[in-house]
Amino acid sequence: QAEDGIRDSVASRGLGDVYKRQISSGPEVLNEMINKTNGKRTIPQIFFDNEHIGGYVEIRELEKNDKLLESLK
């Protein structure tokens, strides 16, 4: 799954823990995610220190271009 790849990528770089929130746990969780991501509804959506980084595609693009660590500073 996409989220497993992201979790592994973060862990291998020593960037900290990955927390998972189930948007299916209630409409308030889904609405919170949509608000924090400026309307994005795809999952996973990645946050670092409560800052929205992007979804799977954006994370992989940052990683591919060696900019993931830079974007997390």
Side-chain angles (χ1 to χ4, degrees):
Q1 289 191 5
E3 64 212 37
D4 293 333
I6 292 168
R7 187 177 303 118
D8 293 344
S9 182
V10 168
S12 71
R13 288 170 171 75
L15 297 175
D17 297 325
V18 174
Y19 297 96
K20 187 174 169 180
R21 292 200 58 198
Q22 292 293 338
I23 61 169
S24 61
S25 63
E28 64 281 348
V29 178
L30 175 61
N31 289 333
E32 178 185 357
M33 185 198 74
I34 292 169
N35 288 333
K36 286 183 173 183
T37 62
N38 293 319
K40 294 186 177 173
R41 295 176 170 264
T42 59
I43 52 174
Q45 290 296 317
I46 311 303
F47 296 84
F48 188 77
D49 284 341
N50 212 25
E51 181 180 336
H52 184 238
I53 303 299
Y56 178 80
V57 172
E58 291 87 359
I59 295 296
R60 287 295 180 217
E61 189 67 26
L62 287 169
E63 188 175 49
K64 184 174 100 176
N65 294 316
D66 291 324
K67 294 186 178 187
L68 180 60
L69 291 176
E70 181 182 315
S71 71
L72 300 178
K73 292 180 182 178

